[in-house]
Amino acid sequence: MKQFLALAAAGVSLAALMPAAALAQQADAPAPAEDEEPIAGQEIIVTGTSRSRAALDTPLAISQLDDTALARAGVTSQADILNTIPSIKADGGGGEVASNVFIRGLPSGGQFQFTPLMYDGITVLSSFGLNSSAYDVYARNDLGIDRLEFVRGGVSNLFGPGSVAGLINYISKDGGDELSGTAQLEVAERGRYRGDLALNGPLGGNFYFALSGFYRIDDGPIRTGLDTEGGQIRGNIEYRFDDGSGNIKLIGQYIDDQTTFYLPIPLDGPSRNRLRGNDGELVNSVQNQFDFASLGFNIPGGGRFTSEIADGVATRGGMIGLSFEKDFGDSGWGINGRFKYSDYSHKFGLWSDGDGVINVPETLTSFLANRNLGLPANAQFTFAGGGAVPANALLFANRFTDRDRPVDDFTAELNITKTLQTGSIDHAFTLGGFYGNATAGDFNVTTTYLAELNNRPRLVSLTITNPVGGAQTVISRGGLLNAGAGYVNNEHSAERFAGYIADQMKIGDRFNLDIGFRIEKLNGDIRRERTSTTVTDATTANLSTALRDVVWGNGGFLTGEVSTTEWALAAGALYKVSDNISLYANASRGFFFPELRSAAFRPLPAGTAANASASPGMQSFTAEIIKQAEAGIKISQPGLSLTLSGFYTSLDNRRQVLFVNDGQGGLTEQVNLVGTESYGAEATVDVRIIGDLSFAGNVTWQKAEYTAFDTRVLNIGNAVERQPEWLYNAGLYYDDGMFDLSVFTNYTGPNFTAATNAIELEGWNIANLDAGYTMDIGSNSLRLSLNVFNLFDTDAVTEGSPRQDANQVANGAFFVGRPVLPRRLTARATFTF
């Protein structure tokens, strides 16, 4: 498939570089009429509603980005786009995928835990928490995206997959009456090449199509020697009814892609700046394309495990879906629905940020002392490729985890709508249901290795000689420090049934009232393999216990079922003071189902064999209750859009899942039962300063703290970790149709690395620049542009080490954290026809 995608990319490049050929084919096409510029705030919102309404008429908070804004912001990952939206903090320091997405006031480890990611109203995955992979590993954005809608709070979030915290919905371009499209060639620093193509148009006989895709190769914003390569194809074929009463659309996607994910690295403790390695160069990454065969090891039952960590985050598979909508004449009745089946093979190569024991760089002497291995005089440190390790060198023991995570998902949504008039009230009723059935595997093997502290480090072997008797012990063999340090083999399945009813009312000319109710049931099946420690290498002499013994599955499984039912109620009201000013308020009582990976078994009966399969029953599994309220004002008129609101959120019974060190070199998923409360204010502004120059920005202020914390009561009253008090975006945008220039910045305020509030990270700004020149070629256009991500090469830390959680050292010589990605220049040639 990658070969096919590469050929497609070559075609994209040719299309971008040969506009004359495209011009000849389109010579007879009429020039597109210039649309009148929309009034800010009058954009039509379609996400999660039976009645499409302008943002000014909707009693909830709305954010919308068009395709121009998406192209300007989305140069690295989903995080770059979502960071521009008020109330969202998104960490993109990990690279293209697995963005950590935080919604104001809510505690999580990130990764879309409160916000479904949807394309065309179809959720990428119906249940989060079957494993810890983020939604964005299964799908990528491309030129086929028309806009992004983020809707939070209120009745709209009761529909479909549901989420009272908000819905992230990318809406694709549809086919038009004439063939049109965009071809783009992108070249960036450090070996990035990407080709994109998006086409849409008529097929004849009321059929229309839209097709988009990309292929790219990339050495990465940080060079590691690991590959980023692959692409995706998306598209739809639509049939539109003659009478304009609706459509039927077939939707498809195929992805075959791999990319590198970056974890926190050792930094200087006092300054939290990047360290210099043994070679004197700054350490930007501790990952490398090692000889992974040499890091393999024997496994129980025969055979050998060899890591595929070099594949990074690899996803292959796709989805097929069907959506439809139909209005039945003047009766007021209508029906709409969406169905989807997806199947992905997915591997997530996770490089950790320490060995799970010491977790910071060590001198040769301190490495030995920290593990009771004696004095340097009795140790032989050598590089795996040959040569002695210098006595003044720094070492960094680290881990990686091979995670194999196949997933399949079926979703169905069906809505019956009815509009009717009762006196002065214009009703829009929705009666609907949602079904989701997802199964995901989670097979993890953790390996610990020893290496030098360098960019793309070399592996280190270590042998210890006992001064009494001369016996030797191999501590690190070819860099392998702990064979099979951790093993997980889980399978989780979630089946969801939801029904909802809502009425979105227009009362007279000035008043809108929404009210809705949702009830949902979750059934979960859990299957987890048990483990044992087994001697797998009894023939190689002098091996340490960590190299000789392997933690591996023993064939016994714990199985169980959970089930819970919850309800949500939401209401919203809006009063139009004038045609340009609205006052609104909304409130909701909703829920989140706990992640199935957080469900715990009851203790096994005494005497149960270590490898026995058993079903001991499950501990308490109840929904997490969220209550929200928001009130504000919206002002919208030509040249100015302004919103100001205040909000309150409480979350009870939250099963917070953290992926943390177990203290023995392995990793475990720690579950805390917590409650939080937050309040704050939010504002947005979009104003035309003069002519073609405008300013846009938003700011969020919040106070979020823990009200409950079962595993550490001292955390009650502390600020929610990784949630800053202040977030803002601000930008100047100039576009006269020929020249365009955008300079915009995103600010993330100080925030704590863990719930103990022991370590606070400083706030930081990331500035970006996007500039272009557009030339007309007949009825077509060619834009040449330059984008600079992290314009001032800000060297800030986005997070500490989540795997260390509260055990991270506040004032040590070293600090483990993930810096923002460095400055990167990207050039584009975009041909629109």
Side-chain angles (χ1 to χ4, degrees):
M1 184 60 193
K2 287 186 177 178
Q3 288 79 4
F4 172 75
L5 291 172
L7 289 173
V12 170
S13 302
L14 289 173
L17 295 174
M18 296 193 301
L23 175 61
Q25 294 176 10
Q26 298 293 323
D28 297 330
E34 291 187 2
D35 295 330
E36 294 185 3
E37 185 174 352
I39 298 174
Q42 297 293 344
E43 303 90 347
I44 300 300
I45 305 300
V46 301
T47 297
T49 179
S50 61
R51 165 175 279 172
S52 299
R53 296 182 294 190
L56 189 65
D57 298 331
T58 305
L60 65 160
I62 298 289
S63 297
Q64 189 176 89
L65 300 178
D66 61 17
D67 56 351
T68 300
L70 292 175
R72 187 169 54 214
V75 294
T76 301
S77 68
Q78 287 274 1
D80 298 332
I81 295 170
L82 298 178
N83 255 334
T84 68
I85 295 175
S87 81
I88 291 182
K89 168 183 178 270
D91 290 341
E96 288 192 24
V97 298
S99 299
N100 283 328
V101 178
F102 302 87
I103 303 300
R104 63 188 186 195
L106 297 179
S108 76
Q111 299 194 340
F112 303 91
Q113 291 182 355
F114 294 107
T115 49
L117 177 63
M118 303 192 300
Y119 288 83
D120 301 311
I122 298 175
T123 181
V124 170
L125 186 62
S126 63
S127 292
F128 190 84
L130 304 182
N131 53 44
S132 62
S133 286
Y135 291 124
D136 61 356
V137 302
Y138 306 110
R140 308 281 187 273
N141 291 355
D142 57 29
L143 294 178
I145 301 295
D146 180 64
R147 67 188 186 277
L148 165 66
E149 292 181 357
F150 178 59
V151 181
R152 55 195 180 277
V155 170
S156 293
N157 297 65
L158 302 181
F159 297 165
S163 171
V164 290
L167 301 171
I168 299 170
N169 188 20
Y170 286 98
I171 299 172
S172 300
K173 297 175 181 177
D174 291 327
D177 292 330
E178 297 180 355
L179 179 67
S180 62
T182 304
Q184 180 172 278
L185 179 64
E186 177 180 297
V187 180
E189 291 181 288
R190 294 180 285 279
R192 179 177 173 88
Y193 302 91
R194 171 166 168 154
D196 277 81
L197 178 65
L199 293 171
N200 66 83
L203 291 173
N206 292 349
F207 283 93
Y208 299 83
F209 82 97
L211 180 69
S212 59
F214 75 89
Y215 191 86
R216 61 90 180 77
I217 57 175
D218 191 355
D219 290 341
I222 301 172
R223 293 186 186 273
T224 63
L226 302 168
D227 292 334
T228 290
E229 182 176 2
Q232 174 186 262
I233 296 175
R234 299 187 315 117
N236 64 74
I237 297 175
E238 179 183 8
Y239 175 80
R240 299 171 187 166
F241 297 115
D242 283 326
D243 58 2
S245 61
N247 64 79
I248 301 173
K249 186 182 295 184
L250 181 67
I251 303 168
Q253 175 235 12
Y254 181 83
I255 185 171
D256 185 359
D257 189 43
Q258 70 179 66
T259 184
T260 302
F261 184 68
Y262 308 108
L263 264 290
I265 60 174
L267 304 170
D268 178 71
S271 69
R272 295 177 189 163
N273 293 330
R274 287 177 174 83
L275 292 169
R276 293 198 177 272
N278 297 319
D279 59 3
E281 300 296 325
L282 289 177
V283 176
N284 293 304
S285 169
V286 293
Q287 297 163 260
N288 196 13
Q289 175 62 278
F290 295 129
D291 177 7
F292 293 102
S294 70
L295 293 175
F297 50 86
N298 297 337
I299 59 177
R304 188 170 176 83
F305 177 81
T306 301
S307 174
E308 296 179 348
I309 192 72
D311 292 342
V313 183
T315 304
R316 178 182 295 174
M319 62 81 68
I320 186 167
L322 181 72
S323 69
F324 62 90
E325 55 181 315
K326 173 69 176 176
D327 294 327
F328 298 101
D330 297 328
S331 68
W333 289 97
I335 188 171
N336 65 76
R338 301 174 182 89
F339 302 88
K340 177 213 73 174
Y341 176 75
S342 59
D343 189 357
Y344 298 98
S345 60
H346 163 57
K347 296 181 180 180
F348 198 116
L350 179 74
W351 295 78
S352 293
D353 38 20
D355 64 351
V357 180
I358 304 302
N359 300 306
V360 295
E362 302 167 85
T363 64
L364 306 191
T365 300
S366 62
F367 181 88
L368 297 171
N370 288 334
R371 293 159 179 80
N372 296 315
L373 296 175
L375 300 174
N378 302 314
Q380 296 80 48
F381 289 93
T382 58
F383 291 113
V389 178
N392 63 348
L394 285 175
L395 304 175
F396 186 58
N398 201 5
R399 295 162 296 173
F400 51 75
T401 302
D402 288 82
R403 306 197 290 190
D404 191 358
R405 295 177 163 181
V407 61
D408 63 80
D409 188 26
F410 174 77
T411 64
E413 177 186 348
L414 183 63
N415 302 300
I416 299 172
T417 61
K418 170 66 175 176
T419 58
L420 60 88
Q421 190 85 22
T422 59
S424 62
I425 304 178
D426 181 11
H427 298 269
F429 291 102
T430 299
L431 176 64
F434 175 82
Y435 175 79
N437 193 332
T439 299
D442 193 7
F443 180 80
N444 303 332
V445 177
T446 299
T447 305
T448 307
Y449 66 91
L450 182 61
E452 62 179 339
L453 181 68
N454 265 357
N455 254 340
R456 286 177 281 172
R458 293 171 291 178
L459 295 170
V460 172
S461 298
L462 170 61
T463 300
I464 300 295
T465 301
N466 190 327
V468 181
Q472 291 189 326
T473 304
V474 179
I475 302 298
S476 172
R477 181 175 59 175
L480 181 63
L481 193 59
N482 191 342
Y487 177 98
V488 171
N489 183 18
N490 297 339
E491 183 178 271
H492 295 138
S493 298
E495 188 175 33
R496 298 172 56 194
F497 305 85
Y500 42 87
I501 186 170
D503 186 8
Q504 295 172 298
M505 294 168 273
K506 182 175 175 60
I507 306 173
D509 294 330
R510 295 294 181 187
F511 192 65
N512 291 340
L513 177 64
D514 293 354
I515 187 167
F517 176 81
R518 178 186 180 102
I519 188 167
E520 182 171 347
K521 181 176 183 178
L522 170 74
N523 295 326
D525 288 321
I526 298 166
R527 178 179 169 86
R528 299 174 186 164
E529 189 175 8
R530 305 178 70 190
T531 61
S532 298
T533 300
T534 304
V535 175
T536 60
D537 192 342
T539 59
T540 303
N542 305 324
L543 290 181
S544 69
T545 301
L547 292 177
R548 185 197 64 195
D549 300 348
V550 169
V551 177
W552 206 258
N554 60 26
F557 284 85
L558 297 181
T559 58
E561 297 179 354
V562 294
S563 181
T564 189
T565 301
E566 263 301 342
W567 58 272
L569 179 67
L574 179 140
Y575 178 72
K576 297 195 72 171
V577 179
S578 68
D579 290 343
N580 298 320
I581 302 175
S582 296
L583 301 176
Y584 77 96
N586 63 68
S588 62
R589 186 270 192 197
F591 61 89
F592 299 105
F593 288 132
E595 300 177 38
L596 283 185
R597 65 192 180 112
S598 73
F601 291 101
R602 292 194 181 101
L604 289 169
T608 303
N611 62 347
S613 293
S615 299
M618 307 302 299
Q619 296 182 17
S620 173
F621 186 83
T622 56
E624 306 158 4
I625 305 303
I626 178 172
K627 298 175 182 177
Q628 295 188 115
E630 181 172 6
I633 184 172
K634 301 180 182 184
I635 301 174
S636 177
Q637 58 187 20
L640 174 66
S641 175
L642 177 69
T643 69
L644 178 63
S645 65
F647 61 85
Y648 170 83
T649 303
S650 71
L651 181 62
D652 296 321
N653 199 41
R654 168 66 178 168
R655 297 176 72 89
Q656 181 190 62
V657 185
L658 303 176
F659 200 52
V660 300
N661 297 326
D662 64 6
Q664 304 298 318
L667 296 162
T668 186
E669 290 182 327
Q670 175 181 299
V671 179
N672 304 313
L673 189 63
V674 305
T676 60
E677 186 176 55
S678 67
Y679 58 89
E682 202 162 78
T684 69
V685 62
D686 190 339
V687 59
R688 184 179 303 282
I689 298 175
I690 185 172
D692 299 311
L693 179 65
S694 62
F695 169 85
N698 58 70
V699 61
T700 300
W701 171 78
Q702 64 171 332
K703 291 285 287 186
E705 65 179 33
Y706 283 104
T707 57
F709 208 110
D710 69 330
T711 58
R712 186 179 171 89
V713 295
L714 292 177
N715 290 344
I716 296 175
N718 284 355
V720 175
E721 72 271 28
R722 304 173 77 177
Q723 287 279 15
E725 286 193 16
W726 289 97
L727 293 167
Y728 73 71
N729 292 277
L732 287 171
Y733 306 92
Y734 176 82
D735 189 349
D736 63 9
M738 179 178 295
F739 294 99
D740 63 88
L741 175 66
S742 303
V743 182
F744 50 100
T745 187
N746 167 260
Y747 173 75
T748 301
N751 59 99
F752 294 102
T753 63
T756 56
N757 289 185
I759 303 174
E760 186 178 35
L761 300 178
E762 296 179 356
W764 70 91
N765 261 303
I766 298 296
N768 300 282
L769 179 146
D770 191 87
Y773 172 74
T774 301
M775 62 188 79
D776 292 331
I777 307 175
S779 59
N780 310 311
S781 66
L782 176 66
R783 180 176 182 261
L784 303 177
S785 62
L786 179 69
N787 185 285
V788 185
F789 171 79
N790 195 357
L791 180 63
F792 302 113
D793 205 18
T794 298
D795 189 15
V797 181
T798 67
E799 64 176 29
S801 172
R803 278 141 296 282
Q804 295 188 51
D805 191 36
N807 294 320
Q808 175 86 292
V809 177
N811 300 306
F814 302 104
F815 179 81
V816 179
R818 182 160 64 185
V820 299
L821 295 177
R823 179 170 53 212
R824 199 178 198 190
L825 278 67
T826 301
R828 291 170 172 166
T830 308
F831 181 62
T832 303
F833 54 92

